[in-house]
Amino acid sequence: MKKSNDDANAGVLIAIDWENIRRGAQMYQQAVSPRALCDAMKSVGENFGMVLGGTAFGDWSLRREDAAAFNLAGIQPYNAPRTMAGKDRTDPSILLEVYDWVRDRDDCQYIVLGSGDSDFQALVDRAKSNGRRIVICAFSQSVARDMLAVAPLFPLEAELGFHLPEHGALAGSEGQYMSTENALQTFVRQMDRLESSMNFVGYNKLCTQWMLDWAIASTEYECYRLIDQWLYEEVVERHDVANPNNPAYPTSAVRLIRSNETVRDLLGYSKPAAPKPALT
């Protein structure tokens, strides 16, 4: 796309829903780094004008290193903490922030939105009524049809060179998930954090959301397999929690076995001092 002189002077801001992007990459059994994502989205933004910066939204208590990486790439991290039940609250934060750009930023004519959630359809309409334009840069499989009808899409898989497995080889180093050793280290530390703030850690939610969020594995099947392995190694144990809504069917939960030596080492628990030899 060739820019006119007017387009070259247009200001572009970037808004990134980090959880949406990470989930989209997992559909390809891939992981994307903040730096690679920023480079791709800035490249898309440069088709429309001068990229002025932007904001990445997420619960950064889960991934402080990612927040730092966005900052280094010139994209401001915006903390949108999850609820205690683990519900993502990123979308409302994006709606409010981007609405402020549309209303107040005279230097912004284009917004590159790193999400395809249908919740943003009204935001696209509001931008148009204020003389702004929103374009989507996200993984095409995670973009709602309603959004495709109102805003142009620049597929991230094309920008990053991702391919579905049946179409060819997977991308290289950035698409690899952590080793089993690193996965266990991340798991134990994140479980310790959850257990300190919640009454219990639900088994299904752990495998279908949290472990995927921690980038421990790329599929729910792999998460369940890892839990089975760690149950066998006595790193964790399953237990039942009373379900007041249906007492006959208690909730299945998982907790760390804190007496396990590996768990103690990973959490930095001090080992008991060796007994002093008896004086003779």
Side-chain angles (χ1 to χ4, degrees), residues 14-98:
I14 294 171
I16 298 171
D17 181 344
W18 185 223
E19 294 307 316
N20 178 280
I21 297 300
R22 291 181 64 257
R23 289 290 181 87
Q26 288 167 4
M27 296 179 185
Y28 294 85
Q29 299 180 10
Q30 299 279 346
V32 57
S33 70
R35 168 60 70 176
L37 176 63
C38 290
D39 289 346
M41 295 191 70
K42 287 179 180 178
S43 178
V44 169
E46 287 167 357
N47 288 316
F48 300 96
M50 180 181 298
V51 176
L52 305 175
T55 305
F57 300 81
D59 185 345
W60 302 118
S61 66
L62 298 176
R63 279 172 286 279
R64 297 182 187 278
E65 297 84 359
D66 290 350
F70 277 117
N71 216 1
L72 287 173
I75 300 296
Q76 177 68 39
Y78 181 105
N79 195 38
R82 292 176 180 266
T83 66
M84 291 296 292
K87 181 176 175 56
D88 185 21
R89 295 189 294 190
T90 300
D91 285 3
S93 299
I94 295 176
L95 284 166
L96 291 172
E97 182 76 3
V98 175

Coordinates of all heavy atoms in Angstrom, one line a residue, residues 14-98:
I14 N -1.3 2.1 18.6 CA -1.5 0.6 18.6 C -2.1 0.2 19.9 O -1.6 0.7 21.0 CB -0.1 -0.1 18.4 CG1 0.4 0.2 17.0 CG2 -0.2 -1.6 18.7 CD1 1.8 -0.3 16.8
A15 N -3.1 -0.6 19.9 CA -3.7 -1.2 21.1 C -3.7 -2.7 21.1 O -4.2 -3.3 20.1 CB -5.2 -0.7 21.3
I16 N -3.1 -3.4 22.0 CA -2.8 -4.8 22.0 C -3.5 -5.5 23.2 O -3.3 -5.1 24.3 CB -1.3 -5.1 22.1 CG1 -0.6 -4.5 20.9 CG2 -1.1 -6.6 22.2 CD1 1.0 -4.6 21.0
D17 N -4.4 -6.5 22.8 CA -5.0 -7.4 23.8 C -4.0 -8.6 23.9 O -4.1 -9.5 23.1 CB -6.4 -7.8 23.4 CG -7.0 -8.7 24.4 OD1 -6.3 -9.3 25.3 OD2 -8.3 -8.8 24.3
W18 N -3.1 -8.6 24.9 CA -2.0 -9.6 24.9 C -2.6 -11.0 25.1 O -2.1 -11.9 24.5 CB -1.1 -9.2 26.0 CG 0.2 -10.1 26.1 CD1 0.7 -10.6 27.3 CD2 1.0 -10.6 25.1 NE1 1.8 -11.3 27.0 CE2 2.1 -11.3 25.7 CE3 1.0 -10.4 23.7 CZ2 3.1 -11.9 24.9 CZ3 2.0 -11.0 23.0 CH2 3.0 -11.7 23.6
E19 N -3.6 -11.2 25.9 CA -4.2 -12.5 26.1 C -4.8 -13.0 24.8 O -4.7 -14.2 24.4 CB -5.2 -12.5 27.2 CG -4.6 -12.2 28.6 CD -3.5 -13.2 28.9 OE1 -3.6 -14.4 28.7 OE2 -2.4 -12.7 29.4
N20 N -5.5 -12.1 24.1 CA -6.1 -12.5 22.8 C -5.1 -13.0 21.8 O -5.2 -14.0 21.1 CB -6.9 -11.3 22.2 CG -7.6 -11.7 20.9 OD1 -6.9 -11.6 19.9 ND2 -8.9 -12.0 20.9
I21 N -4.0 -12.2 21.7 CA -2.9 -12.6 20.8 C -2.2 -13.9 21.2 O -2.0 -14.7 20.4 CB -1.8 -11.4 20.8 CG1 -2.5 -10.1 20.2 CG2 -0.7 -11.9 19.9 CD1 -3.1 -10.2 18.8
R22 N -2.0 -14.1 22.5 CA -1.3 -15.3 22.9 C -2.2 -16.5 22.7 O -1.7 -17.5 22.2 CB -1.0 -15.2 24.4 CG 0.1 -14.2 24.8 CD 0.3 -14.2 26.3 NE 0.9 -15.5 26.8 CZ 0.2 -16.4 27.4 NH1 -1.1 -16.2 27.7 NH2 0.7 -17.5 27.8
R23 N -3.5 -16.4 22.9 CA -4.4 -17.5 22.6 C -4.5 -17.8 21.1 O -4.5 -18.9 20.7 CB -5.8 -17.2 23.1 CG -5.9 -17.2 24.6 CD -5.8 -18.6 25.2 NE -6.0 -18.6 26.6 CZ -7.1 -18.7 27.3 NH1 -8.3 -18.7 26.6 NH2 -7.2 -18.7 28.6
G24 N -4.5 -16.7 20.3 CA -4.4 -16.9 18.9 C -3.2 -17.7 18.4 O -3.3 -18.6 17.5
A25 N -2.1 -17.4 19.0 CA -0.8 -18.1 18.6 C -0.9 -19.5 19.0 O -0.4 -20.4 18.3 CB 0.4 -17.4 19.3
Q26 N -1.6 -19.8 20.1 CA -1.7 -21.2 20.6 C -2.5 -22.1 19.6 O -2.3 -23.3 19.6 CB -2.3 -21.3 22.0 CG -1.3 -20.7 23.1 CD -2.0 -20.5 24.4 OE1 -3.2 -20.7 24.5 NE2 -1.3 -19.9 25.3
M27 N -3.3 -21.5 18.8 CA -4.1 -22.2 17.8 C -3.1 -22.8 16.8 O -3.4 -23.8 16.1 CB -5.1 -21.3 17.1 CG -6.2 -20.8 18.0 SD -7.3 -19.8 17.0 CE -8.4 -19.2 18.3
Y28 N -1.9 -22.2 16.6 CA -0.9 -22.7 15.7 C 0.2 -23.4 16.4 O 1.2 -23.7 15.8 CB -0.3 -21.5 14.9 CG -1.3 -20.8 14.0 CD1 -2.2 -19.8 14.5 CD2 -1.4 -21.1 12.7 CE1 -3.1 -19.2 13.7 CE2 -2.3 -20.5 11.8 CZ -3.1 -19.5 12.4 OH -4.0 -18.9 11.5
Q29 N 0.0 -23.7 17.7 CA 1.0 -24.4 18.5 C 2.2 -23.6 18.5 O 3.4 -24.1 18.4 CB 1.2 -25.8 18.0 CG 0.0 -26.7 18.1 CD 0.2 -28.1 17.6 OE1 1.4 -28.5 17.4 NE2 -0.8 -28.9 17.5
Q30 N 2.1 -22.3 18.6 CA 3.2 -21.3 18.6 C 3.1 -20.4 19.8 O 2.1 -20.3 20.5 CB 3.1 -20.5 17.3 CG 3.2 -21.2 16.0 CD 4.6 -21.6 15.6 OE1 5.6 -21.1 16.1 NE2 4.8 -22.5 14.6
A31 N 4.2 -19.7 20.0 CA 4.3 -18.6 21.0 C 4.8 -17.4 20.2 O 5.7 -17.5 19.4 CB 5.1 -19.0 22.2
V32 N 4.4 -16.2 20.6 CA 4.9 -15.0 20.0 C 5.4 -14.1 21.1 O 4.8 -14.0 22.2 CB 3.8 -14.3 19.2 CG1 2.6 -13.9 20.1 CG2 4.3 -13.0 18.5
S33 N 6.6 -13.5 20.8 CA 7.2 -12.7 21.8 C 6.7 -11.2 21.7 O 6.2 -10.8 20.6 CB 8.7 -12.6 21.7 OG 9.1 -11.9 20.5
P34 N 6.7 -10.5 22.8 CA 6.2 -9.1 22.7 C 7.0 -8.3 21.7 O 6.4 -7.5 20.9 CB 6.5 -8.5 24.1 CG 6.4 -9.7 25.0 CD 6.9 -10.9 24.2
R35 N 8.3 -8.5 21.5 CA 9.1 -7.8 20.5 C 8.6 -8.1 19.1 O 8.4 -7.2 18.3 CB 10.6 -8.1 20.7 CG 11.5 -7.6 19.6 CD 11.4 -6.1 19.4 NE 12.0 -5.4 20.4 CZ 12.2 -4.1 20.5 NH1 11.7 -3.3 19.5 NH2 12.8 -3.5 21.5
A36 N 8.5 -9.4 18.8 CA 8.0 -9.8 17.5 C 6.6 -9.2 17.2 O 6.4 -8.8 16.0 CB 8.0 -11.3 17.4
L37 N 5.8 -9.2 18.2 CA 4.4 -8.7 18.0 C 4.5 -7.2 17.7 O 3.8 -6.7 16.8 CB 3.5 -9.0 19.2 CG 2.1 -8.4 19.1 CD1 1.3 -9.0 18.0 CD2 1.4 -8.7 20.5
C38 N 5.2 -6.5 18.5 CA 5.3 -5.0 18.3 C 5.9 -4.7 16.9 O 5.4 -3.8 16.2 CB 6.2 -4.4 19.4 SG 5.4 -4.4 21.0
D39 N 6.9 -5.4 16.5 CA 7.5 -5.2 15.2 C 6.4 -5.4 14.1 O 6.3 -4.6 13.1 CB 8.7 -6.1 14.9 CG 9.9 -5.7 15.8 OD1 9.9 -4.5 16.3 OD2 10.9 -6.5 15.9
A40 N 5.7 -6.5 14.2 CA 4.7 -6.8 13.2 C 3.6 -5.7 13.2 O 3.1 -5.2 12.1 CB 4.0 -8.2 13.5
M41 N 3.1 -5.3 14.3 CA 2.0 -4.3 14.4 C 2.5 -2.9 14.0 O 1.7 -2.2 13.3 CB 1.4 -4.3 15.8 CG 0.7 -5.6 16.1 SD -0.3 -5.6 17.6 CE -1.7 -4.6 17.0
K42 N 3.7 -2.6 14.3 CA 4.2 -1.3 13.8 C 4.4 -1.3 12.3 O 4.1 -0.3 11.7 CB 5.6 -1.0 14.5 CG 5.5 -0.6 16.0 CD 6.8 -0.4 16.6 CE 6.7 0.0 18.0 NZ 8.1 0.2 18.7
S43 N 4.8 -2.4 11.7 CA 4.9 -2.6 10.3 C 3.5 -2.3 9.6 O 3.4 -1.6 8.6 CB 5.4 -3.9 9.9 OG 5.5 -4.1 8.5
V44 N 2.5 -2.9 10.2 CA 1.1 -2.7 9.7 C 0.7 -1.2 9.9 O 0.2 -0.6 8.9 CB 0.1 -3.6 10.4 CG1 -1.3 -3.1 10.1 CG2 0.3 -5.0 10.1
G45 N 1.0 -0.6 11.0 CA 0.7 0.8 11.2 C 1.4 1.7 10.3 O 0.8 2.8 9.9
E46 N 2.6 1.4 9.9 CA 3.3 2.3 9.0 C 2.7 2.3 7.6 O 3.1 3.2 6.8 CB 4.8 1.8 8.9 CG 5.6 2.1 10.2 CD 6.9 1.4 10.2 OE1 7.2 0.6 9.3 OE2 7.6 1.7 11.2
N47 N 1.8 1.4 7.3 CA 1.1 1.5 6.0 C 0.1 2.7 6.0 O -0.3 3.2 4.9 CB 0.2 0.2 5.8 CG 1.1 -1.0 5.4 OD1 2.0 -0.9 4.6 ND2 0.8 -2.1 6.0
F48 N -0.2 3.2 7.2 CA -1.2 4.3 7.3 C -0.6 5.6 7.7 O -1.3 6.6 7.6 CB -2.3 3.8 8.3 CG -3.0 2.6 7.8 CD1 -2.6 1.3 8.3 CD2 -4.0 2.6 6.9 CE1 -3.2 0.2 7.9 CE2 -4.7 1.5 6.5 CZ -4.3 0.2 7.0
G49 N 0.6 5.6 8.3 CA 1.1 6.9 8.7 C 2.3 6.6 9.7 O 3.0 5.6 9.6
M50 N 2.5 7.6 10.6 CA 3.6 7.5 11.5 C 3.1 6.9 12.8 O 2.2 7.4 13.5 CB 4.2 8.9 11.8 CG 5.3 8.9 12.8 SD 5.9 10.6 13.1 CE 6.5 11.1 11.5
V51 N 3.7 5.8 13.3 CA 3.3 5.2 14.5 C 3.8 6.0 15.7 O 5.0 6.3 15.8 CB 3.9 3.7 14.6 CG1 3.6 3.1 15.9 CG2 3.4 2.9 13.4
L52 N 2.9 6.4 16.5 CA 3.2 7.3 17.7 C 3.4 6.5 19.0 O 3.8 7.1 20.0 CB 2.1 8.3 17.9 CG 1.7 9.1 16.6 CD1 0.5 10.0 16.9 CD2 2.9 10.0 16.2
G53 N 3.2 5.2 19.0 CA 3.3 4.4 20.2 C 2.0 3.6 20.4 O 1.3 3.4 19.4
G54 N 1.7 3.3 21.6 CA 0.5 2.5 21.9 C 0.6 1.9 23.3 O 1.4 2.2 24.1
T55 N -0.4 1.0 23.5 CA -0.6 0.4 24.8 C -0.8 -1.1 24.6 O -1.6 -1.5 23.8 CB -1.7 1.0 25.5 OG1 -1.5 2.5 25.6 CG2 -1.9 0.5 26.9
A56 N -0.2 -1.9 25.5 CA -0.5 -3.3 25.6 C -1.2 -3.6 26.9 O -0.8 -3.2 28.0 CB 0.8 -4.1 25.5
F57 N -2.4 -4.3 26.8 CA -3.2 -4.5 28.0 C -3.1 -6.0 28.4 O -3.2 -6.9 27.6 CB -4.7 -4.2 27.6 CG -4.9 -2.8 27.1 CD1 -4.6 -2.4 25.8 CD2 -5.4 -1.9 28.0 CE1 -4.8 -1.1 25.4 CE2 -5.6 -0.6 27.6 CZ -5.3 -0.2 26.3
G58 N -3.0 -6.2 29.7 CA -3.0 -7.5 30.3 C -2.8 -7.5 31.8 O -2.7 -6.4 32.4
D59 N -2.9 -8.7 32.4 CA -2.7 -8.8 33.8 C -1.2 -9.1 34.0 O -0.7 -10.2 33.9 CB -3.5 -10.0 34.4 CG -3.3 -10.1 35.9 OD1 -2.4 -9.4 36.5 OD2 -4.1 -10.8 36.6
W60 N -0.4 -8.0 34.2 CA 1.0 -8.1 34.2 C 1.6 -8.8 35.5 O 2.8 -9.0 35.5 CB 1.6 -6.7 33.9 CG 1.2 -6.2 32.6 CD1 0.5 -5.0 32.5 CD2 1.3 -6.7 31.3 NE1 0.2 -4.8 31.1 CE2 0.7 -5.9 30.4 CE3 1.9 -7.9 30.9 CZ2 0.6 -6.1 29.1 CZ3 1.9 -8.2 29.5 CH2 1.2 -7.3 28.6
S61 N 0.8 -9.0 36.5 CA 1.2 -9.8 37.6 C 1.5 -11.2 37.2 O 2.3 -11.9 37.9 CB 0.2 -9.7 38.7 OG -1.0 -10.4 38.4
L62 N 0.9 -11.7 36.1 CA 1.2 -13.0 35.6 C 2.5 -13.1 34.8 O 3.1 -14.1 34.8 CB 0.0 -13.5 34.8 CG -1.3 -13.6 35.4 CD1 -2.4 -14.0 34.4 CD2 -1.3 -14.6 36.6
R63 N 2.8 -12.0 34.1 CA 4.0 -12.0 33.2 C 4.7 -10.7 33.2 O 4.6 -9.9 32.3 CB 3.5 -12.3 31.8 CG 3.3 -13.8 31.5 CD 2.6 -14.0 30.2 NE 1.2 -13.6 30.2 CZ 0.3 -14.4 30.7 NH1 0.6 -15.6 31.2 NH2 -1.0 -14.0 30.7
R64 N 5.4 -10.4 34.3 CA 6.1 -9.1 34.4 C 7.2 -9.0 33.4 O 7.4 -7.8 32.9 CB 6.8 -9.1 35.8 CG 5.7 -9.1 37.0 CD 6.4 -8.9 38.3 NE 5.4 -9.1 39.4 CZ 4.6 -8.2 39.9 NH1 4.6 -7.0 39.3 NH2 3.8 -8.5 40.8
E65 N 7.8 -10.1 32.9 CA 8.8 -10.0 31.9 C 8.2 -9.5 30.6 O 8.9 -8.7 29.8 CB 9.5 -11.3 31.7 CG 10.3 -11.8 32.9 CD 9.4 -12.5 33.9 OE1 8.1 -12.6 33.7 OE2 9.9 -13.0 34.9
D66 N 7.0 -9.9 30.3 CA 6.4 -9.4 29.0 C 6.1 -7.9 29.1 O 6.3 -7.2 28.1 CB 5.1 -10.2 28.8 CG 5.3 -11.7 28.4 OD1 6.5 -12.0 28.2 OD2 4.4 -12.5 28.4
A67 N 5.6 -7.5 30.3 CA 5.4 -6.0 30.4 C 6.6 -5.2 30.2 O 6.6 -4.2 29.5 CB 4.8 -5.8 31.8
A68 N 7.8 -5.7 30.7 CA 9.0 -5.0 30.5 C 9.4 -5.0 29.1 O 10.0 -4.0 28.5 CB 10.1 -5.7 31.4
A69 N 9.2 -6.2 28.4 CA 9.5 -6.3 26.9 C 8.7 -5.3 26.1 O 9.2 -4.7 25.2 CB 9.3 -7.7 26.5
F70 N 7.4 -5.2 26.4 CA 6.6 -4.2 25.7 C 7.1 -2.8 25.9 O 7.2 -1.9 25.0 CB 5.1 -4.3 26.1 CG 4.4 -5.4 25.5 CD1 3.8 -6.4 26.2 CD2 4.1 -5.3 24.1 CE1 3.1 -7.4 25.5 CE2 3.4 -6.3 23.4 CZ 2.9 -7.4 24.2
N71 N 7.5 -2.5 27.1 CA 8.0 -1.1 27.5 C 9.3 -0.8 26.7 O 9.4 0.3 26.1 CB 8.3 -1.1 29.0 CG 8.0 0.3 29.6 OD1 7.6 1.2 28.9 ND2 8.3 0.4 30.8
L72 N 10.2 -1.8 26.6 CA 11.4 -1.6 25.8 C 11.1 -1.4 24.3 O 11.8 -0.7 23.6 CB 12.3 -2.8 26.0 CG 13.0 -2.9 27.3 CD1 13.8 -4.2 27.4 CD2 14.0 -1.8 27.5
A73 N 10.0 -2.0 23.8 CA 9.6 -1.9 22.4 C 8.8 -0.6 22.1 O 8.4 -0.4 21.0 CB 8.8 -3.1 22.0
G74 N 8.6 0.3 23.1 CA 7.9 1.5 22.9 C 6.4 1.4 23.1 O 5.7 2.4 22.7
I75 N 5.9 0.3 23.6 CA 4.5 0.1 23.9 C 4.3 0.1 25.4 O 4.8 -0.7 26.1 CB 4.0 -1.2 23.2 CG1 4.2 -1.1 21.7 CG2 2.5 -1.4 23.5 CD1 3.5 0.0 20.9
Q76 N 3.4 1.0 25.8 CA 3.2 1.1 27.3 C 2.3 0.0 27.8 O 1.2 -0.2 27.3 CB 2.5 2.5 27.5 CG 2.1 2.7 29.0 CD 3.3 2.9 29.9 OE1 4.3 3.6 29.5 NE2 3.3 2.4 31.1
P77 N 2.8 -0.7 28.8 CA 1.9 -1.8 29.4 C 0.8 -1.1 30.3 O 1.1 -0.2 31.1 CB 2.9 -2.6 30.3 CG 4.3 -2.1 30.0 CD 4.1 -0.7 29.4
Y78 N -0.4 -1.6 30.2 CA -1.5 -1.2 31.0 C -2.0 -2.4 31.8 O -2.4 -3.4 31.2 CB -2.6 -0.6 30.1 CG -3.8 -0.1 30.8 CD1 -4.0 1.3 31.0 CD2 -4.8 -0.9 31.4 CE1 -5.1 1.8 31.6 CE2 -5.9 -0.4 32.1 CZ -6.1 0.9 32.2 OH -7.2 1.4 32.9
N79 N -2.0 -2.3 33.1 CA -2.3 -3.4 33.9 C -3.9 -3.5 34.1 O -4.5 -2.6 34.5 CB -1.7 -3.3 35.3 CG -1.8 -4.6 36.1 OD1 -1.6 -5.7 35.5 ND2 -2.0 -4.6 37.4
A80 N -4.4 -4.7 33.7 CA -5.8 -5.0 33.8 C -6.0 -6.3 34.6 O -6.1 -7.4 34.0 CB -6.5 -5.1 32.4
P81 N -5.9 -6.2 35.9 CA -5.9 -7.5 36.7 C -7.1 -8.3 36.5 O -8.3 -7.8 36.4 CB -5.8 -6.9 38.2 CG -5.4 -5.5 38.1 CD -5.9 -5.0 36.7
R82 N -7.0 -9.6 36.5 CA -8.1 -10.5 36.5 C -8.9 -10.5 37.8 O -8.3 -10.0 38.8 CB -7.6 -12.0 36.3 CG -7.0 -12.2 34.9 CD -6.4 -13.7 34.9 NE -5.9 -14.0 33.6 CZ -6.5 -14.6 32.6 NH1 -7.8 -14.9 32.8 NH2 -5.9 -14.8 31.4
T83 N -10.1 -10.9 37.8 CA -10.9 -11.1 39.0 C -10.3 -12.2 39.8 O -9.5 -13.0 39.3 CB -12.3 -11.3 38.7 OG1 -12.5 -12.6 38.1 CG2 -12.9 -10.3 37.8
M84 N -10.7 -12.3 41.1 CA -10.3 -13.4 41.9 C -10.6 -14.8 41.3 O -10.0 -15.8 41.6 CB -10.8 -13.3 43.3 CG -10.3 -12.1 44.1 SD -8.5 -12.3 44.4 CE -8.5 -13.6 45.6
A85 N -11.7 -14.8 40.6 CA -12.1 -16.1 39.9 C -11.4 -16.3 38.6 O -11.6 -17.4 38.0 CB -13.6 -16.0 39.7
G86 N -10.5 -15.5 38.2 CA -9.7 -15.7 37.0 C -10.3 -15.1 35.8 O -9.8 -15.3 34.7
K87 N -11.4 -14.3 35.8 CA -12.0 -13.7 34.7 C -11.2 -12.6 34.1 O -10.8 -11.7 34.8 CB -13.4 -13.2 35.0 CG -14.2 -12.6 33.8 CD -15.6 -12.3 34.2 CE -16.3 -11.6 33.0 NZ -16.3 -12.4 31.8
D88 N -10.9 -12.6 32.8 CA -10.2 -11.6 32.1 C -11.0 -10.3 32.1 O -12.1 -10.3 31.7 CB -9.8 -12.1 30.7 CG -8.9 -11.1 30.0 OD1 -8.2 -10.3 30.6 OD2 -8.8 -11.2 28.7
R89 N -10.3 -9.2 32.4 CA -11.0 -7.9 32.4 C -10.3 -6.9 31.4 O -10.3 -5.7 31.6 CB -11.0 -7.3 33.8 CG -11.9 -8.1 34.8 CD -12.1 -7.3 36.1 NE -10.8 -7.2 36.8 CZ -10.8 -6.7 38.1 NH1 -11.9 -6.4 38.7 NH2 -9.6 -6.6 38.7
T90 N -9.6 -7.5 30.4 CA -8.9 -6.6 29.5 C -9.8 -5.8 28.6 O -9.5 -4.6 28.3 CB -8.0 -7.5 28.6 OG1 -7.0 -8.2 29.4 CG2 -7.2 -6.7 27.6
D91 N -10.9 -6.4 28.0 CA -11.7 -5.7 27.1 C -12.2 -4.4 27.6 O -12.2 -3.4 26.8 CB -12.8 -6.6 26.6 CG -12.4 -7.7 25.7 OD1 -11.2 -7.8 25.4 OD2 -13.2 -8.5 25.2
P92 N -12.8 -4.3 28.8 CA -13.3 -3.0 29.2 C -12.2 -1.9 29.3 O -12.4 -0.8 29.0 CB -13.8 -3.3 30.6 CG -14.2 -4.7 30.6 CD -13.1 -5.4 29.7
S93 N -11.0 -2.3 29.7 CA -9.8 -1.4 29.7 C -9.5 -0.9 28.3 O -9.2 0.3 28.2 CB -8.6 -2.1 30.4 OG -8.9 -2.5 31.7
I94 N -9.5 -1.8 27.4 CA -9.2 -1.3 26.0 C -10.3 -0.4 25.5 O -10.0 0.6 24.9 CB -9.1 -2.6 25.1 CG1 -7.9 -3.4 25.5 CG2 -9.0 -2.1 23.6 CD1 -7.7 -4.7 24.7
L95 N -11.5 -0.7 25.7 CA -12.6 0.1 25.3 C -12.5 1.5 25.8 O -12.6 2.5 25.1 CB -14.0 -0.5 25.7 CG -14.5 -1.7 24.9 CD1 -15.6 -2.4 25.7 CD2 -14.9 -1.3 23.5
L96 N -12.2 1.7 27.1 CA -12.1 3.0 27.7 C -10.9 3.8 27.2 O -11.0 4.9 26.9 CB -12.0 2.8 29.2 CG -13.3 2.4 29.9 CD1 -13.0 2.1 31.4 CD2 -14.4 3.4 29.8
E97 N -9.8 3.1 27.1 CA -8.5 3.8 26.6 C -8.6 4.2 25.2 O -8.3 5.3 24.8 CB -7.3 2.8 26.8 CG -6.0 3.4 26.4 CD -5.5 4.4 27.4 OE1 -6.1 4.6 28.5 OE2 -4.4 5.0 27.2
V98 N -9.1 3.3 24.3 CA -9.2 3.6 22.9 C -10.3 4.7 22.7 O -10.1 5.6 21.8 CB -9.4 2.4 22.0 CG1 -9.6 2.7 20.6 CG2 -8.2 1.4 22.2

